[in-house]
């Protein structure tokens, strides 16, 4: 693979933007989720300082920077400490997005450590797969980014290709693992190619145009399921193809798929993160071609033309195999006249398990060979450098970063092979032990996005209702998740409303399986304003803004998108719903059922809440909080995105203006001007040269005719 300097810069810039979104999105939700009176107060789980144990030992046991708050003498409570970590992370990420020198290994290490610290105390609301993916990709940026802040700009960074390869391996594990998990679960929706028929209706937070996509023909949605499975299972095998054009084709298909996810669902920063990983499939030549700085193509010789045709035939053969394999796997039968597509399961569960055993091992060995190629190529690059000292310095860097890359790859095999137990048992015990030592740092994880399709019989939603007299009940409407059947689905990405997502997850099981739900009910009965702002920032939309409800209950409903009418017009409502069952019984403050569940899940207060500190830093944090607490989270992130875009635009315009002025004041101005005005002054310059030549010839003739010359 060629040079990857430009793709690395694109990857690092994208990671800075994603970190900024992640920290900002979490910051606006901290008081309601983790505040002193929040749903899951962080002070109940924050690490306690033990003076009898060394600090490093305590951090290793519970890796979180919250340990350092009392050590640094900061007079902050647990909620304010989390807010400080979020603000520092958001500002660092903003600086890295705008200033290239800040896209440094040390800066990205700080961002990774800050987000890991938050995830360690985030409990249920920070255990999504995209949080694990951000931590793993964030750790890779520490290895990929340069050390600019230490003035260590080595001209020989042959190891960059090795560390950047880890991003490609992570992209492979994410896409291939998710695709295989869909079929390994033997979910009827995936095997029957009807998953996309329910996906837009059952996704966490649907979009307004999800309703229109749901109305598309059945054969078209089945075709979407096929393309999704091909993109996640067959396409990742091309990430390590030795033919460059195959890797580029895989990049474009995967990039289009991720961009499609951005516009077809409120998936937070997950599609952005996946798109950033796809940059590992590019090289400098292709990015330079985008920027208009590509090399001029020379006329191909006959051998080069024959080689290009052979490569094209190989590419066509690869895609033909993918298409044929898909048809055989799902036994697709297409009726072009009736515009229908039928399929049936081609493999039994045991047959597919055997096939999975055959695939898991070879994919790991493909990764081993690809990594070995990058490591050896980097070593040869170091050896070819001129000068003994530079060779030695390059080899030292190569040893350090190649060892780190091999170590990360080795421990990543443990979660990756967990999808096939037989091969997982063959992993070396030393590798398993190393994985167990770093597991708490979440350096590597297993990914299986949407392995089972929910909502086949209608999406399940928990509807909260409050009452003052237990006779008249009022529904509590959330800002983002489906509730009122007449409310338009919102657009919230890249914001990640974690309470709304957890409400959708809780609807898939029982209330006992979601202990935080009991705490949510308790907070609403107490009228906690921070928790209410998670549900509605506009007090006019909350039915109990004047006084908290006396009773609360929760019911489970089944939701479906409405259908177009017979005349083709759209209905007045987006959803239709049916009552399913009781999710949580009607309770009030002091109710034995409520108190018992709080005690069972250890959510009851053991100590009285201490008053908030009044230090200057605490006051500053309260001032910042006061400016954003009444704004919806998605508006905060959109404003931040608009700010970054505006600064980038002004920076580009100013650099163009200043660059033009600088070019005019350079000493080489006459030459540049002559080059620019060459068409206009071409005739004048030619006539002047002709006149000079004629004058010189006449002077020579006069000199020949002079008496002195004759003598």
């Amino acid at each position: 693979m060629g040079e990857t300097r430009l793709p690395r810069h694109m990857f690092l810039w994208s990671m800075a933007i994603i970190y900024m979104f992640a920290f900002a999105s979490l910051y606006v939700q901290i008081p309601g989720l983790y505040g002193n009176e929040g749903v899951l107060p962080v002070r109940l789980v924050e690490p306690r300082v033990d003076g009898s144990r060394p600090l490093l030992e305590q951090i290793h046991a519970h890796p979180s920077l919250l340990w350092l708050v009392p050590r640094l003498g900061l007079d902050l409570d647990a909620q304010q400490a989390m807010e400080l970590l979020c603000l520092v992370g958001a500002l660092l990420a903003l600086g890295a997005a705008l200033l290239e020198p800040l896209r440094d290994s040390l800066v990205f290490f700080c961002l990774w450590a800050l987000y890991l610290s938050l995830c360690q105390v985030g409990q249920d609301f920070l255990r999504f797969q995209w949080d694990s993916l951000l931590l793993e990709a964030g750790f890779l940026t520490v290895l990929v980014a340069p050390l600019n802040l230490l003035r260590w700009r080595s001209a020989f960074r042959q190891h960059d290709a090795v560390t950047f390869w880890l991003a490609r391996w992570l992209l492979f594990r994410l896409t291939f693992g998710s695709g295989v998990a869909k079929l390994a679960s033997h979910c009827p929706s995936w095997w029957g190619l009807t998953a996309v028929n329910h996906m837009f209706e059952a996704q966490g937070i649907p979009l307004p145009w999800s309703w229109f996509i749901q109305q598309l023909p059945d054969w078209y949605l089945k075709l979407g399921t096929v393309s999704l499975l091909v993109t996640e299972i067959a396409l990742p095998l091309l990430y390590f193809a030795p033919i460059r054009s195959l890797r580029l084709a895989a990049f474009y298909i995967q990039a289009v798929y991720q961009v499609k996810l951005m516009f077809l669902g409120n998936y937070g920063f997950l599609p952005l993160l996946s798109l950033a990983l796809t940059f590992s499939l590019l090289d400098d030549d292709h990015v330079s071609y985008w920027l208009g700085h590509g090399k001029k193509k020379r006329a191909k010789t006959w051998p080069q033309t024959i080689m290009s045709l052979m490569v094209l035939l190989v590419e066509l053969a690869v895609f033909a195999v993918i298409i044929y394999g898909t048809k055989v796997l799902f036994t697709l039968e297409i009726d072009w006249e009736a515009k229908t597509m039928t399929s049936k399961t081609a493999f039994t569960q045991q047959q597919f398990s055997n096939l999975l055993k055959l695939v898991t091992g070879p994919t790991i060995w493909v990764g081993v060979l690809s990594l070995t190629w990058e490591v050896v190529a980097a070593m040869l690059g170091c050896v070819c450098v001129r000068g003994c000292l530079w060779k030695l310095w390059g080899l030292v860097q190569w040893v350090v970063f190649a060892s780190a890359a091999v170590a990360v790859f080795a421990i990543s095999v443990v979660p990756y092979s967990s999808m096939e137990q037989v091969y997982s048992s063959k992993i070396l015990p030393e590798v398993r032990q190393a994985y167990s030592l770093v597991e708490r740092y979440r350096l590597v994880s297993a990914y299986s996005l949407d392995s089972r399709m929910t909502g086949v019989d209608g999406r399940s939603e928990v509807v909260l209702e409050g009452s003052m007299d237990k006779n008249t009940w009022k529904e509590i409407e959330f800002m983002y998740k489906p509730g009122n059947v007449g409310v338009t689905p919102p657009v919230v990405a890249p914001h990640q409303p974690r309470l709304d997502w957890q409400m959708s997850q809780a609807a898939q099981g029982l209330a006992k399986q979601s202990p935080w739900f009991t705490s949510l009910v308790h907070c609403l009965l107490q009228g906690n304003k921070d928790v209410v702002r998670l549900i509605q920032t506009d007090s006019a939309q909350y039915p109990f803004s004047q006084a908290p409800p006396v009773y609360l209950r929760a019911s489970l409903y089944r939701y479906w998108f409405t259908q177009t009418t017979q005349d083709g017009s759209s209905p007045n409502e987006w959803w239709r719903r049916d009552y399913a069952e009781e999710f949580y019984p009607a309770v009030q403050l002091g109710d034995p059922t409520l108190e018992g569940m709080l005690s069972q899940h250890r959510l009851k207060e053991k100590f009285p809440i201490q008053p908030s500190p009044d230090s200057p830093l605490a006051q500053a944090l309260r001032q910042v909080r006061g400016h954003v607490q009444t704004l919806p989270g998605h508006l905060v992130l959109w404003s931040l995105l608009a700010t970054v875009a505006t600064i980038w635009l002004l920076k580009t315009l100013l650099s163009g203006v200043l660059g033009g002025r600088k070019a005019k004041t350079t000493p080489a101005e006459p030459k540049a001007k002559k080059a620019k005005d060459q068409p206009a002054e071409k005739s004048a310059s030619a006539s002047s040269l002709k006149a000079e030549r004629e004058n010189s010839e006449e002077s020579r003739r006069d000199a020949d005719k002079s008496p002195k010359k004759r003598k």
Side-chain angles (χ1 to χ4, degrees):
M1 194 169 180
E3 293 292 329
T4 57
R5 183 181 63 86
L6 294 177
R8 287 199 309 273
H9 285 309
M10 296 167 60
F11 172 69
L12 295 177
W13 180 81
S14 301
M15 287 301 300
I17 293 291
I18 293 167
Y19 265 127
M20 180 185 68
F21 287 151
F23 282 114
S25 177
L26 181 60
Y27 172 77
V28 298
Q29 304 176 75
I30 284 179
L33 294 179
Y34 304 111
N36 295 329
E37 297 179 355
V39 179
L40 293 176
V42 67
R43 60 190 178 84
L44 300 180
V45 296
E46 69 171 327
R48 303 290 180 182
V49 178
D50 187 0
S52 61
R53 299 173 60 190
L55 178 62
L56 292 179
E57 182 181 344
Q58 297 180 55
I59 292 179
H60 177 69
H62 302 281
S64 176
L65 294 179
L66 293 178
W67 284 107
L68 301 179
V69 172
R71 293 285 184 128
L72 295 176
L74 300 177
D75 189 13
L76 301 173
D77 59 23
Q79 173 188 337
Q80 292 171 339
M82 285 192 73
E83 291 180 350
L84 179 62
L85 295 185
C86 267
L87 287 176
V88 171
L91 291 176
L92 267 181
L94 176 62
L98 297 176
L99 303 173
E100 185 177 351
L102 289 181
R103 290 170 214 155
D104 181 83
S105 182
L106 295 178
V107 172
F108 281 111
F109 177 78
C110 293
L111 292 173
W112 174 79
L114 289 169
Y115 202 74
L116 175 66
S117 302
L118 296 170
C119 289
Q120 290 295 325
V121 297
Q123 306 169 74
D124 292 339
F125 294 106
L126 278 170
R127 289 177 182 167
F128 293 100
Q129 291 196 48
W130 46 78
D131 295 314
S132 299
L133 181 62
L134 179 56
L135 285 174
E136 184 171 354
F139 181 74
L140 296 185
T141 58
V142 179
L143 300 176
V144 173
L147 280 169
N148 293 329
L149 297 181
L150 295 181
R151 305 290 181 182
W152 183 23
R153 294 190 178 184
S154 176
F156 307 104
R157 292 178 55 88
Q158 302 294 335
H159 60 270
D160 284 339
V162 178
T163 53
F164 198 39
W165 179 91
L166 292 173
R168 204 188 329 165
W169 173 244
L170 174 57
L171 176 65
F172 174 80
R173 290 191 292 113
L174 171 66
T175 54
F176 186 76
S178 299
V180 169
K182 290 177 174 59
L183 297 183
S185 65
H186 263 262
C187 176
S189 296
W190 288 113
W191 280 98
L193 303 181
T194 59
V196 174
N197 299 54
H198 312 288
M199 179 179 293
F200 298 99
E201 184 180 72
Q203 61 181 295
I205 302 175
L207 287 166
W209 42 88
S210 298
W211 183 91
F212 297 94
I213 298 175
Q214 191 74 19
Q215 314 302 320
L216 293 174
D218 181 72
W219 68 268
Y220 186 85
L221 296 176
K222 282 189 175 183
L223 188 62
T225 306
V226 173
S227 63
L228 188 150
L229 291 173
V230 170
T231 303
E232 290 190 344
I233 297 177
L235 190 69
L237 300 177
L238 303 181
Y239 297 166
F240 307 105
I243 301 176
R244 175 174 176 265
S245 54
L246 286 177
R247 296 195 301 269
L248 293 178
F251 162 76
Y252 280 109
I253 296 174
Q254 190 62 243
V256 169
Y257 173 65
Q258 297 303 331
V259 171
K260 183 180 69 174
L261 284 183
M262 293 182 197
F263 291 99
L264 296 184
N266 287 303
Y267 294 107
F269 54 79
L270 177 61
L272 290 172
L273 190 51
S274 302
L275 182 62
L277 293 174
T278 60
F279 294 148
S280 61
L281 302 174
L282 297 174
D283 53 31
D284 281 355
D285 291 341
H286 198 70
V287 179
S288 298
Y289 174 76
W290 288 351
L291 302 176
H293 306 308
K295 299 178 181 179
K296 294 183 178 180
K297 295 183 178 181
R298 299 178 180 178
K300 292 183 178 181
T301 61
W302 280 107
Q304 291 176 335
T305 304
I306 294 174
M307 183 61 67
S308 300
L309 290 176
M310 293 178 63
V311 170
L312 179 61
L313 290 176
V314 171
E315 295 173 359
L316 294 176
V318 169
F319 287 106
V321 169
I322 291 175
I323 295 173
Y324 180 75
T326 303
K327 184 179 184 303
V328 171
L329 180 63
F330 297 104
T331 59
L332 296 177
E333 296 180 1
I334 303 175
D335 188 348
W336 298 103
E337 295 182 358
K339 295 183 179 180
T340 59
M341 178 187 297
T342 58
S343 64
K344 61 181 180 179
T345 304
F347 295 94
T348 63
Q349 186 171 1
Q350 183 60 40
Q351 289 174 335
F352 185 77
S353 299
N354 296 334
L355 180 62
L356 189 60
K357 295 175 186 178
L358 296 175
V359 173
T360 304
T363 54
I364 294 176
W365 283 110
V366 168
V368 171
L369 293 175
S370 181
L371 178 59
T372 303
W373 174 269
E374 298 291 349
V375 170
V376 173
M379 183 192 66
L380 294 177
C382 295
V383 172
C384 294
V385 173
R386 292 183 178 180
C388 295
L389 292 179
W390 287 116
K391 287 182 181 180
L392 180 61
W393 178 236
L395 287 173
V396 169
Q397 295 182 67
W398 172 79
V399 169
V400 172
F401 286 95
S403 301
V406 171
V408 172
F409 173 77
I411 61 176
S412 69
V413 172
V414 177
Y416 171 70
S417 61
S418 61
M419 61 182 179
E420 208 295 298
Q421 298 298 328
V422 174
Y423 194 85
S424 178
S425 61
K426 298 180 180 180
I427 297 178
L428 295 176
E430 292 80 7
V431 175
R432 288 187 173 279
Q433 185 178 3
Y435 172 74
S436 61
L437 288 176
V438 300
E439 186 176 6
R440 60 175 61 91
Y441 298 101
R442 299 170 74 170
L443 300 182
V444 293
S445 301
Y447 304 101
S448 56
L449 302 175
D450 297 325
S451 58
R452 295 194 66 87
M453 181 52 58
T454 59
V456 177
D457 299 325
R459 74 173 286 140
S460 300
E461 283 295 341
V462 176
V463 176
L464 275 170
E465 296 175 299
S467 175
M468 306 299 292
D469 54 7
K470 213 175 182 179
N471 292 321
T472 304
W473 295 89
K474 295 181 180 179
E475 184 174 324
I476 298 176
E477 182 72 20
F478 282 67
M479 280 190 294
Y480 304 119
K481 82 177 193 69
N484 190 333
V485 295
V487 174
T488 304
V491 180
V492 301
H495 177 51
Q496 186 63 59
R498 297 182 179 271
L499 179 60
D500 294 69
W501 268 91
Q502 280 289 7
M503 289 288 289
S504 298
Q505 296 293 324
Q508 309 303 323
L510 302 175
K512 296 179 180 179
Q513 299 172 346
S514 303
W516 57 268
F517 189 82
T518 298
S519 180
L520 173 65
V521 171
H522 186 251
C523 291
L524 293 179
L525 288 173
Q526 291 179 325
N528 185 287
K529 294 183 179 179
D530 291 330
V531 177
V532 170
R533 289 192 190 99
L534 289 177
I535 298 175
Q536 285 290 349
T537 53
D538 185 5
S539 59
Q541 301 296 325
Y542 188 69
F544 302 99
S545 57
Q546 301 299 325
V550 178
Y551 300 94
L552 268 181
R553 71 181 183 186
S555 303
L556 191 67
Y557 282 82
R558 304 287 185 192
Y559 278 71
W560 297 269
F561 273 136
T562 54
Q563 302 294 325
T564 55
T565 57
Q566 293 181 355
D567 58 358
S569 60
S570 301
N572 296 326
E573 296 179 341
W574 295 85
W575 302 92
R576 62 181 180 89
R577 70 180 187 182
D578 292 334
Y579 175 82
E581 59 184 358
E582 181 186 77
F583 185 79
Y584 203 89
V587 294
Q588 60 179 337
L589 289 177
D591 190 288
T593 302
L594 180 62
E595 296 295 326
M597 296 189 73
L598 288 173
S599 300
Q600 178 184 354
H601 300 306
R602 300 179 182 179
L603 296 172
K604 201 167 184 180
E605 302 294 342
K606 297 181 180 178
F607 307 100
I609 300 176
Q610 300 297 325
S612 180
D614 201 31
S615 62
L617 182 57
Q619 293 179 4
L621 290 173
R622 282 196 290 269
Q623 288 288 334
V624 176
R625 172 60 60 187
H627 285 87
V628 300
Q629 65 180 2
T630 58
L631 297 175
H634 65 283
L635 290 183
V636 174
L637 263 69
W638 290 354
S639 302
L640 191 59
L641 179 61
T643 302
V644 173
T646 303
I647 294 175
W648 263 104
L649 181 61
L650 293 176
K651 183 179 177 182
T652 303
L653 293 176
L654 289 176
S655 62
V657 172
L658 295 178
R661 290 180 179 177
K662 187 176 180 181
K664 291 181 180 180
T665 57
T666 54
E669 182 184 356
K671 294 183 179 180
K673 185 176 181 181
K674 183 177 179 181
K676 292 180 180 179
D677 301 333
Q678 187 175 2
E681 299 180 0
K682 186 175 181 180
S683 59
S685 60
S687 60
S688 62
L689 289 174
K690 186 176 181 181
E692 290 178 1
R693 290 175 182 175
E694 292 177 353
N695 292 334
S696 61
E697 290 178 358
E698 291 179 359
S699 62
R700 288 176 184 175
R701 293 172 185 173
D702 294 339
D704 293 338
K705 295 178 181 178
S706 63
K708 294 182 180 180
K709 185 73 175 176
R710 292 174 182 174
K711 293 179 181 179

